[in-house]
Structure formats: structure tokens, C-alpha cells
Amino acid sequence: MGTKQIGVVFYSKTGATRLLAQHISEGIQSVGANAQIFEIESQSIIAGRYQNTPLFEQLTKCDALIFGCPTYMGSPAAQFKAFMDASSDCYVQKAWQNKLAAGFTSGGSQNGEQQQTLLAMFALACQHGMLWAGLDVSQFSDDLGLNRTGSSLGLVASPEPGDPQLVATNDLQTAFYFGQRIAKLAG
Ligand SMILES: Cc1cc2nc3c(=O)[nH]c(=O)nc-3n(C[C@H](O)[C@H](O)[C@H](O)COP(=O)(O)O)c2cc1C
């Protein structure tokens, strides 16, 4: 079987989503899988089209893909949407069929429509024939104290109001757990 390769592909402008990607990757590594981080760079978007064939080749080699981006105006940031659109070649080839998929997003508000971003990622995963894995921790049904935002579709993060940290500590801890979960499911 070999070590599972988990791709974490994300866009981040000011660092919050990057921080989440790092914590997810640490969670992945902590259970013995290999985390590969892929950052969507704005300069790869030309006339609105994301162009990076080698990135898609690398993603296709992964066993699972975790998508991440900020929520902008209640949906995925345009830079990540450009990546989503560019994945259509992989869709045609069924290159990601039956891979595990999951998603995370950050927002400035606790409830800034981040769920819409996760739903867009979920739809993307379904179009690719992927198997969506949500977040299975709840402050109501277990005592881990994670997932303060109560999202089941995937990880929703935001800063704690009044705290200068980009992302609430609980969300970063949840990100670590989320990475562990996806890596274990892929294993
Ligand atoms: C153009 C724009 C639109 C935004 N729209 C939302 C939004 O709809 N909901 C929300 O919670 N935050 C919104 N934000 C805040 C960002 O999602 C938030 O700062 C995020 O953590 C940035 O991620 P990054 O640091 O990875 O770039 C918006 C920010 C920008 C610049």
C-alpha cells in the first residue's frame, strides 16, 4: 500500500487559510501519512484562467485532496474558483474519481457564509466523482472541545473577536484533528 499522500491545495491572501493548511498538514503527518501542500498563486491566473499543468499532475497522484480558501462575499475567493474551473480537464479524464475529498475555509466573521464555500467545494468533489469527508467532531456529542463553529461539511474558521490572532486557537486545533481524520480515512 505505501505511505498515503494527502494533497492540501489552497489559496490564501493574508495568511489565515495558510495557517489552517499548515495545521492540517501537521495533523496528517502526525498519523504517518505524507502531506503535500500546494498553494494557488495569483500570478498563475492569466486573463481569469488558472494555468498550472504540473500542479494538476501532482494532485492526480495524491490519494486524497483537501481544498482550502478564504470565503469572499459568501463564496470561494475568485483565485480558488479559477483553480476549480481549471480542474475541468481532470474532470473530463476522471482523474480524481474515487479519491477522498474534504474542505476548509476561513472568514472574517464567525458566520460569514463560510458554509457556502464548503458547499461549492463539495459540489466540485461530486463533479469529480470524489468521496466527501466532513468534520465529525461536535461540542454536543463528544468531549474533545473542538469545532467551536459547529460545521459538519468541513472546517470553518475565523478569528476570535477582539483577538489579534488571524485564526482562533480552537480552529487551529480543529484543523490538526481534521488532518488526522482525513489521513486515517485515506489509510
Ligand atoms: C473581498 C473580500 C470579501 C470577503 N468576504 C467575506 C465573507 O463573505 N465572509 C467572511 O466571513 N469573511 C469575508 N472576508 C474576510 C476573509 O474571508 C478573511 O479575512 C479570511 O480569513 C482571509 O483569508 P486569508 O488570510 O487566507 O487570505 C472577505 C475578505 C475580502 C478581502
Side-chain angles (χ1 to χ4, degrees), residues 94-106:
K94 294 192 182 293
W96 298 351
Q97 190 176 34
N98 297 335
K99 288 185 196 299
L100 204 57
F104 62 103
T105 184
S106 67

Side-chain angles (χ1 to χ4, degrees), residues 6-10 16-37 64-69 102-106 118 121 133 135 154-157 167 171-184:
I6 317 295
V8 181
V9 56
F10 71 98
T17 315
R18 187 178 302 113
L19 208 52
L20 290 166
Q22 286 161 356
H23 281 74
I24 288 172
S25 299
E26 284 168 20
I28 291 168
Q29 313 266 27
S30 76
V31 293
N34 189 26
Q36 296 184 47
I37 292 196
L65 298 179
I66 307 180
F67 304 119
C69 72
F104 62 103
T105 184
S106 67
L118 292 180
M121 293 171 178
L135 180 55
L155 173 60
V156 165
V167 180
D171 300 341
L172 296 178
Q173 291 166 340
T174 306
F176 184 88
Y177 171 89
F178 196 41
Q180 289 182 318
R181 165 170 165 75
I182 303 306
K184 284 182 196 166

Side-chain angles (χ1 to χ4, degrees), residues 153-173:
L153 279 170
L155 173 60
V156 165
S158 61
E160 203 69 82
D163 187 334
Q165 277 198 119
L166 279 175
V167 180
T169 302
N170 185 281
D171 300 341
L172 296 178
Q173 291 166 340

Side-chain angles (χ1 to χ4, degrees), residues 49-122:
R49 297 289 175 197
Y50 180 70
Q51 297 177 9
N52 190 343
T53 303
L55 178 128
F56 286 105
E57 286 169 358
Q58 285 177 289
L59 293 180
T60 297
K61 289 182 190 151
C62 291
D63 298 294
L65 298 179
I66 307 180
F67 304 119
C69 72
T71 293
Y72 279 2
M73 301 312 293
S75 55
Q79 292 86 346
F80 191 79
K81 183 62 169 72
F83 158 79
M84 291 168 67
D85 295 353
S87 75
S88 61
D89 286 345
C90 292
Y91 160 83
V92 171
Q93 295 155 11
K94 294 192 182 293
W96 298 351
Q97 190 176 34
N98 297 335
K99 288 185 196 299
L100 204 57
F104 62 103
T105 184
S106 67
S109 306
Q110 279 196 28
N111 185 359
E113 279 67 57
Q114 289 98 321
Q115 293 285 304
Q116 296 297 326
T117 299
L118 292 180
L119 283 169
M121 293 171 178
F122 170 64

Side-chain angles (χ1 to χ4, degrees), residues 3-15:
T3 306
K4 292 293 173 182
Q5 307 293 325
I6 317 295
V8 181
V9 56
F10 71 98
Y11 169 74
S12 179
K13 169 84 173 163
T14 54

